[in-house]
């Protein structure tokens, strides 16, 4: 699904990503974890073809960068991020926002068919938002907006779905509700490969069996989450003594 080999990304002669290698296989769901400035956003931009590394090799869905049409490739990658959330008009209908995902457009400018509406409603129902289809997008809560944007991303039937800090700004109830739907989505046999980006360890759900820990633009560790989310590894990662507790198959941290 994703194969990145020894990439370097420099900006103003400074490494943003350095000698980074990472492979995501079909059937895996990954969490990318790192503090602010660790290179998470740049890595996402590499995957989407918005940032091209100065060195190294990138292959997404078996298509190697430099030998493929990136515009067409992006149609197979869904992205939900805070930057997209504020792009839509406040009076745009929820159904219109979801339908726009078919065309990867901000706003709906092309004709849609009855089948498209049925698919959009199916995803809204899956995310418990069908009752909101006629509401203005701008009046929704942040949690509802995030679920609508996930439905929008699914409209294009992506093979990879990137969730870039989707719980940012949500209260604990809205966060847990959104995480519940993400866990449910990961269990769908025909669903996309999920890449979940966060700087909160407690958001690493059981479905994210693998984790990539980024630190200062390099891979600190990668592999199975159960092997990485330990007191020893995380204490070294944070350069602080960390206490780890496990509850409901999730990891919760405190600084000792």
């Amino acid at each position: 699904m994703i194969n990145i080999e020894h990439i370097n990304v420099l900006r103003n002669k400074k490494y943003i990503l350095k000698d980074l290698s990472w492979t995501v296989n079909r059937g895996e769901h990954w969490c990318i974890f790192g503090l602010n400035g660790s290179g998470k956003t740049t890595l996402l931009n590499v995957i989407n073809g918005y940032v091209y590394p100065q060195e190294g090799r990138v292959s997404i869905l078996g298509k190697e960068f430099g030998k493929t049409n990136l515009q067409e490739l992006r149609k197979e990658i869904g992205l939900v991020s805070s930057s997209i959330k504020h792009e839509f008009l406040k009076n745009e209908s929820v159904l219109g926002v979801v339908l726009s995902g078919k065309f990867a457009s901000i706003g709906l400018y092309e004709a849609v068919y009855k089948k498209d509406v049925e698919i959009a409603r199916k995803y809204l129902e899956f995310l418990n938002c069908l009752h909101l289809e006629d509401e203005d997008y701008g009046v929704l809560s942040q949690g509802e907006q995030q679920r609508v944007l996930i439905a929008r991303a699914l409209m294009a039937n992506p093979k990879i779905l990137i969730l870039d800090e989707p719980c940012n700004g949500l209260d604990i109830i809205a966060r847990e509700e959104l995480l519940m739907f993400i866990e449910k989505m990961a269990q769908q046999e025909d669903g996309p490969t999920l890449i979940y980006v966060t700087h909160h360890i407690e958001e690493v759900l059981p479905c994210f069996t693998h984790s990539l820990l980024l630190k200062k633009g390099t891979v600190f560790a990668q592999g199975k989450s159960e092997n990485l989310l330990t007191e020893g590894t995380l204490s070294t990662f944070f350069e602080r003594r960390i206490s780890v507790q496990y509850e409901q198959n999730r990891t919760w941290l405190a600084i000792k």
Side-chain angles (χ1 to χ4, degrees):
M1 303 299 287
I2 297 174
N3 188 41
I4 295 174
E5 300 177 8
H6 304 291
I7 64 168
N8 291 322
V9 176
L10 292 92
R11 190 175 299 145
N12 298 326
K13 299 182 180 180
K14 178 183 177 182
Y15 282 102
I16 308 300
L17 298 176
K18 185 174 182 180
D19 194 27
L20 189 149
S21 296
W22 180 39
T23 298
V24 175
N25 296 308
R26 188 178 302 276
E28 296 175 349
H29 299 303
W30 280 72
C31 177
I32 302 177
F33 177 81
L35 299 178
N36 293 332
S38 61
K40 301 189 300 296
T41 299
T42 301
L43 178 56
L44 297 187
N45 285 332
V46 168
I47 294 170
N48 281 283
Y50 296 123
V51 170
Y52 205 88
Q54 283 83 356
E55 297 177 274
R57 180 175 175 271
V58 178
S59 178
I60 308 296
L61 300 173
K63 299 172 183 177
E64 186 174 352
F65 282 18
K67 301 178 181 179
T68 190
N69 184 325
L70 292 179
Q71 189 171 358
E72 289 299 312
L73 177 62
R74 290 187 191 113
K75 294 178 181 179
E76 300 185 84
I77 304 172
L79 174 63
V80 177
S81 71
S82 57
S83 61
I84 295 176
K85 181 166 61 175
H86 303 293
E87 293 292 325
F88 293 94
L89 296 174
K90 291 183 178 181
N91 62 352
E92 178 127 23
S93 74
V94 164
L95 185 59
V97 170
V98 175
L99 286 167
S100 71
K102 178 183 178 181
F103 312 103
S105 61
I106 302 299
L108 190 59
Y109 306 103
E110 300 186 48
V112 295
Y113 301 96
K114 183 178 179 180
K115 184 178 179 181
D116 297 325
V117 175
E118 290 173 353
I119 293 171
R121 285 177 172 156
K122 179 187 74 171
Y123 288 130
L124 283 170
E125 183 176 17
F126 177 76
L127 290 156
N128 197 25
C129 290
L130 183 57
H131 62 290
L132 300 172
E133 66 172 313
D134 295 322
E135 295 285 347
D136 289 347
Y137 174 78
V139 305
L140 304 185
S141 68
Q142 288 193 59
E144 289 169 339
Q145 286 182 349
Q146 289 292 62
R147 281 185 274 155
V148 168
L149 291 180
I150 291 173
R152 175 183 179 271
L154 292 172
M155 273 299 294
N157 194 26
K159 293 183 173 63
I160 297 172
L161 177 58
I162 298 172
L163 303 167
D164 184 10
E165 300 188 8
C167 295
N168 190 27
L170 301 187
D171 62 44
I172 186 171
I173 295 174
R175 182 189 73 176
E176 292 304 309
E177 287 179 344
L178 182 61
L179 290 175
M180 178 184 68
F181 288 113
I182 292 171
E183 180 79 25
K184 181 181 174 183
M185 187 165 49
Q187 295 170 356
Q188 302 296 304
E189 291 186 6
D190 58 346
T193 292
L194 299 181
I195 307 296
Y196 187 94
V197 183
T198 185
H199 54 263
H200 295 290
I201 284 287
E202 66 271 17
E203 294 177 11
V204 182
L205 299 168
C207 64
F208 299 117
T209 55
H210 293 73
S211 291
L212 174 69
L213 273 58
L214 288 183
K215 186 173 184 177
K216 298 177 181 178
T218 64
V219 174
F220 176 84
Q222 61 177 301
K224 290 190 174 181
S225 299
E226 61 183 0
N227 297 331
L228 299 184
L229 306 184
T230 64
E231 285 193 2
T233 299
L234 294 175
S235 293
T236 304
F237 178 77
F238 286 112
E239 299 178 14
R240 300 285 192 280
R241 293 182 63 202
I242 298 295
S243 171
V244 171
Q245 294 184 351
Y246 302 99
E247 187 173 343
Q248 297 179 327
N249 293 318
R250 286 163 64 184
T251 305
W252 304 80
L253 303 185
I255 296 177
K256 292 184 177 178

